[in-house]
Amino acid sequence: MKKLLLLLLVAVPVAAQPVDRAAMAARVRAEFLHAWHGYERYAWGHDELRPLSKSWVDWYGQPLLMTPVDALDTMLIMGLDDEAAKTKNFIVEKLSFDRNISVKNFEITIRLLGGLLSSYEMTGDARLLHLADDLGRRLLPVFESPTGMPYVCINLKTGEADDELSNPAEVGTLILEFGTLSRLTHDPVYFDKAKRALDALYARRSKIGLVGEEIDVESGVWIDPASHVGGAIDSYYEYLLKCSQLFADRDCASMWGESLRALNDCLIDDAASGLWYGEVDMRTGERTAAEFGALNAFFPAVLALGGDLRHAEQLENSCYGMWNDQAIEPELIDYRSMEVLDAHYPLRPEIIESAYYLYHYTKDPRYLEMGRTFFEDLVRYCRTDDGYAVLQDVITKKQGDLMPSYFLAETLKYLYLLFAPDDTVDFDWVIFNTEAHPLRR
Ligand code: DMJ
C-alpha cells in the first residue's frame, strides 16, 4: 500500500491550485494601494517615485505628474473612489503644460495625453479634456518635418521640434490618442497629422513589407535595417491594428493585414525553446539575431486581438518560459541558448497584458495561473517597504531605485483585470492604448 502511494505521488503531477479570481483581484488592488501610498508619501506632485532612496524624480526637471495621470484610470477601474477624486482634483489644479522644456513626444502622448483622455471619458470632467486639448495643441508642431513624420522631441512652450533620428514606434504610436482627441474636440487636425505620419512610415516599408529600427524623419531614409517586434518598433504594429478597430479605418486595416503577413513570413522562428518572432534584415529577410525580450511580449496580445489565437498562444507560452527561466523576465534573451543578454526588469507589463487578452478570448485557466505566477514573483522580488522597485538584475534580483509610472498604469491594471469580474471593463467597447489607457470605441 505504501509502495502504491509512493508510485502515485511520483506518477501524478501535482495539480496547481485553482486560482481564486476574487481573492487575487483583492490582493492586486491592495498592492496597487501599497505602491500608490509610497508615491503619495515620498513623491507627491512629482513624476515618479524612487522607492529605495524614498525620493522622487522629475523627467525634465519640472513635474508633469506622470504617475498621477498614468494611475488615475486604474484607480477608477479598481473602484478606489477617494484616491481617484483626490488625484483628479490635484491634476486639474496643478498640471500645467506651459513649460519651457523639450519633451519626448511619444512618451508624453502615450502616458499623459492617453491618461487624460481615458480619465475624461470615464469621469466626464471637462477640465481633463481641456488639459488634453492644450497638450495636443502644444505637441502639433512636432509633425512639421519634410516627410510629415514627427521629430522625437518638442518644446512645450516654444513649439520647437528637434531630433530627426526616430523609429517606427515613436512615429507610429500616436494615432489612438490624437484621433480620440479629434473625435472629442471635433477638430480633425490631430487625427490627420498622426495619420499622415503613419502613412509616410508605411510607404517606406521594404519590398518584403518590413520596417527597420531607426529612420531619419527629414530624409525618410532608414538608418538601421533591423526588423523585429521589439523596442523601437513594437507599438507601431499595435497601433495599425488598433487604429483599424477604434476608428473603423480601412487604410489601417489593410496596413495591418499586409504587415502581419510580412511578419509571419519573415520573423517567425520555431526554436527548441518554442515559437518566437525573431530579428531579420528588413531588406532581405535574412536572419540577424535570435533576440527576444520583455517588450516583445506585447505581441501575443496584438495577435489575439487580430484574431490569430494559434500564434498568440504559442508565443505567450514561449514568453512564459522566458519569465520562468529566471523567475522574472529579463529585458533581452537569446532564445536559442536562453542566455540572458540584458538582465534588467523595469517592472514591465507586456507579458501580463498578453495573458489578460488570451484569458479574455480563451477562458483557459492556464492564463490565470500565469497571472498568479507573475504576481507572486513581483511581490517576492520587486516589493519594497514603500512601493515597488525595478530590478537591476533578474539573476541576482538586485533592486534599482525607480517605480516607473507605467507600473500603476499598466502592470497592475492588467493584473487586476485578469482576475476581476469579466465586465469590469467592457473589453469589446474599448481599445487600450499602448500605456493601457482604455479609449472608447
Ligand atoms: C510603456 O510605456 C508602454 O507600454 C510602451 O509601449 C512600452 N514601454 C512601457 C512599458 O514597458
Side-chain angles (χ1 to χ4, degrees):
M1 182 65 180
K2 238 189 191 167
K3 232 186 194 167
L4 184 68
L5 202 67
L6 198 70
L7 262 177
L8 273 175
L9 280 176
V10 172
V12 182
V14 183
Q17 286 288 313
V19 175
D20 179 341
R21 289 182 72 191
M24 285 301 297
R27 287 182 66 198
V28 176
R29 191 172 181 270
E31 290 310 305
F32 176 92
L33 277 175
H34 170 74
W36 176 251
H37 289 149
Y39 169 80
E40 267 190 323
R41 199 166 309 128
Y42 298 109
W44 185 245
H46 295 283
D47 284 348
E48 288 176 327
L49 170 69
R50 288 199 182 282
L52 302 186
S53 56
K54 302 187 196 304
S55 60
W56 45 265
V57 59
D58 286 328
W59 287 25
Y60 303 106
Q62 304 180 34
L64 290 173
L65 307 188
M66 301 285 188
T67 295
V69 177
D70 240 358
L72 177 54
D73 60 15
T74 309
M75 294 172 189
L76 293 164
I77 285 171
M78 290 181 173
L80 297 168
D81 298 338
D82 293 345
E83 286 78 5
K86 179 178 164 195
T87 305
K88 178 163 75 71
N89 287 337
F90 188 70
I91 290 170
V92 294
E93 275 166 27
K94 294 282 188 248
L95 184 54
S96 165
F97 297 119
D98 191 23
R99 295 176 185 277
N100 191 6
I101 49 176
S102 181
V103 302
K104 280 203 118 192
N105 180 51
F106 165 79
E107 296 291 353
I108 295 302
T109 297
I110 65 170
R111 298 186 198 217
L112 297 185
L113 194 51
L116 290 169
L117 289 168
S118 68
S119 297
Y120 164 69
E121 288 192 326
M122 285 183 187
T123 61
D125 189 327
R127 294 171 300 175
L128 294 169
L129 180 58
H130 181 74
L131 275 167
D133 196 16
D134 177 48
L135 177 57
R137 289 259 154 235
R138 291 170 189 276
L139 296 177
L140 275 181
V142 83
F143 293 102
E144 298 310 314
S145 74
T147 62
M149 291 189 281
Y151 288 93
V152 174
C153 295
I154 175 89
N155 185 302
L156 289 178
K157 199 181 191 76
T158 65
E160 192 188 332
D162 73 296
D163 198 350
E164 69 280 9
L165 291 189
S166 192
N167 56 60
E170 302 205 27
V171 170
T173 311
L174 307 167
I175 197 152
L176 298 188
E177 299 80 1
F178 279 72
T180 299
L181 191 54
S182 276
R183 187 168 55 73
L184 294 172
T185 59
H186 309 289
D187 183 346
V189 66
Y190 301 114
F191 180 85
D192 291 348
K193 296 270 185 195
K195 180 75 182 295
R196 185 173 163 232
L198 206 49
D199 286 341
L201 182 67
Y202 181 72
R204 286 170 173 81
R205 71 195 181 284
S206 68
K207 286 205 179 73
I208 53 173
L210 295 174
V211 295
E213 196 179 272
E214 192 174 37
I215 190 164
D216 183 323
V217 301
E218 290 187 337
S219 64
V221 169
W222 288 103
I223 309 296
D224 187 337
S227 196
H228 48 77
V229 294
I233 301 182
D234 45 9
S235 44
Y236 158 64
Y237 291 122
E238 177 184 350
Y239 273 36
L240 287 180
L241 173 64
K242 290 183 173 178
C243 167
S244 77
Q245 299 193 355
L246 186 60
F247 305 118
D249 187 291
R250 288 193 183 166
D251 301 334
C252 284
S254 123
M255 292 192 265
W256 161 250
E258 286 300 314
S259 302
L260 181 63
R261 225 186 320 276
L263 293 174
N264 283 341
D265 281 353
C266 303
L267 262 56
I268 287 187
D269 197 356
D270 246 319
S273 53
L275 175 131
W276 304 89
Y277 282 69
E279 184 187 302
V280 302
D281 185 309
M282 68 177 277
R283 299 160 302 192
T284 59
E286 197 183 313
R287 239 167 238 293
T288 44
E291 292 176 3
F292 198 92
L295 280 168
N296 308 49
F298 82 105
F299 205 53
V302 171
L303 287 169
L305 184 67
D308 185 353
L309 274 179
R310 185 170 63 90
H311 283 134
E313 293 209 76
Q314 284 177 286
L315 186 59
E316 180 70 353
N317 260 336
S318 307
C319 294
Y320 194 45
M322 171 172 79
W323 179 285
N324 282 328
D325 242 25
Q326 308 295 335
I328 264 200
E329 68 185 357
E331 187 70 347
L332 204 64
I333 60 162
D334 180 313
Y335 56 76
R336 294 201 174 276
S337 60
M338 295 308 275
E339 186 196 341
V340 175
L341 302 177
D342 179 344
H344 288 94
Y345 173 63
L347 291 172
R348 292 209 189 277
E350 287 78 4
I351 194 171
I352 300 170
E353 170 185 4
S354 288
Y356 166 58
Y357 275 69
L358 281 165
Y359 182 70
H360 171 81
Y361 286 115
T362 65
K363 295 289 176 269
D364 186 333
R366 230 161 14 117
Y367 298 111
L368 299 177
E369 284 159 24
M370 280 188 192
R372 181 171 55 191
T373 303
F374 301 144
F375 179 72
E376 300 293 2
D377 289 342
L378 276 169
V379 173
R380 186 168 309 124
Y381 300 118
C382 302
R383 194 178 203 272
T384 71
D385 290 348
D386 295 286
Y388 273 76
V390 300
L391 295 185
Q392 286 183 24
D393 190 324
V394 292
I395 301 166
T396 62
K397 306 290 188 295
K398 184 178 186 330
Q399 295 182 336
D401 197 11
L402 188 67
M403 184 173 80
S405 68
Y406 59 70
F407 181 66
L408 300 180
E410 292 193 74
T411 313
L412 291 178
K413 182 187 286 147
Y414 283 129
L415 263 178
Y416 180 75
L417 288 175
L418 175 62
F419 299 122
D422 292 343
D423 60 358
T424 303
V425 161
D426 195 343
F427 191 93
D428 297 325
W429 285 97
V430 299
I431 288 289
F432 290 94
N433 87 336
T434 195
E435 189 80 0
H437 298 304
L439 302 170
R440 270 195 213 151
R441 289 201 191 198

